Amino acid sequence: MQRLSLARHPGGLPDAFLLPFGVEEGDDAHFARHGLACPPSVARSVPKRRAEYLAGRRAALAALAEAGGGAVDLAVTPSRAPAWPGGFIGSITHAAGIAAAVALRGGAMRGVGIDIEHVATEGALDAIAQSVIDASERQALDGLAQRLGWPMALTVAFSAKESFYKATAATVGRIFEFSALKVVDAHDGTVEAETAEALAASLPAGMRFRLGYSLLLDDATVITSCAWSR
């Protein structure tokens, strides 16, 4: 288990906990070794899904313990999100071979989301761009693309929108499209964005968000965060 500082991300988030994993770690023996339950919906899944679920829960429990929570497992809600203990909020994410989680006391924070992604492959760029950003967002990402390359700039935008979704999903209560959040600027370590439509009473159109990002693993992977204050 590794600690990953999010101190440079907006919102004053605590460290995330990062855990590499292998597909072979999704068998019953690994769940038993760590004293964690495998929900039926996950038990029926492919080994990769079982392994990433276990790694994500292990990272989440480490983050929760650091925040002062005493949970020994996290159930799955009807929306398939983790059921965090009362008074705590958190987020779990995983990409191929790596999982991460963050947890903190709710307090002044309404929601938190993190997302980890490996840089998009050349063959996937067009499809991701068409579904995630529009022409004005592409222009807003130009400066970031000049520094990081277009594949990583697009991955940062995709991941930032995923983090926003996780931070706000419980309040919105429904699935919404990538177009609901528009990237308006991107700097070293931050993405400026605003809601393009009203998602809830507390999320009106035009609400601004500052999301954070850090590059990992020889700059081939990104972790983003969204800290939604009250």
Side-chain angles (χ1 to χ4, degrees), residues 38-45:
C38 184
S41 60
V42 177
R44 295 190 294 268
S45 301

Side-chain angles (χ1 to χ4, degrees), residues 36-228:
L36 298 176
C38 184
S41 60
V42 177
R44 295 190 294 268
S45 301
V46 297
K48 173 181 176 294
R49 171 61 185 138
R50 290 166 55 94
E52 67 186 19
Y53 177 91
L54 177 59
R57 284 308 192 271
R58 289 178 60 200
L61 291 172
L64 193 56
E66 179 77 3
V72 295
D73 202 349
L74 295 176
V76 181
T77 68
S79 64
R80 299 195 300 176
W84 299 95
F88 291 87
I89 58 174
S91 183
I92 301 173
T93 182
H94 34 69
I98 191 166
V102 66
L104 62 155
R105 294 185 182 274
M109 196 77 69
R110 189 187 297 265
V112 63
I114 63 170
D115 183 71
I116 192 166
E117 302 286 343
H118 300 307
V119 64
T121 61
E122 290 290 340
L125 290 178
D126 287 346
I128 295 173
Q130 289 176 15
S131 63
V132 174
I133 61 170
D134 62 19
S136 66
E137 290 177 288
R138 180 183 284 267
Q139 186 173 8
L141 290 167
D142 276 349
L144 192 63
Q146 290 176 20
R147 294 191 297 275
L148 304 181
W150 176 240
M152 181 53 82
L154 182 59
T155 304
V156 168
F158 171 84
S159 183
K161 293 192 179 195
E162 287 286 334
S163 287
F164 172 80
Y165 180 87
K166 293 179 181 182
T168 60
T171 296
V172 177
R174 60 177 174 83
I175 295 173
F176 55 88
E177 301 296 330
F178 286 113
S179 58
L181 185 73
K182 185 180 289 289
V183 175
V184 296
D185 202 357
H187 311 281
D188 287 336
T190 60
V191 175
E192 305 284 344
E194 67 178 28
T195 50
E197 61 186 73
L199 294 170
S202 54
L203 283 167
M207 188 171 180
R208 296 294 292 256
F209 283 84
R210 293 183 70 236
L211 303 102
Y213 74 87
S214 300
L215 301 186
L216 314 171
L217 305 178
D218 296 326
D219 294 346
T221 301
V222 64
I223 186 167
T224 60
S225 67
C226 177
W228 182 23

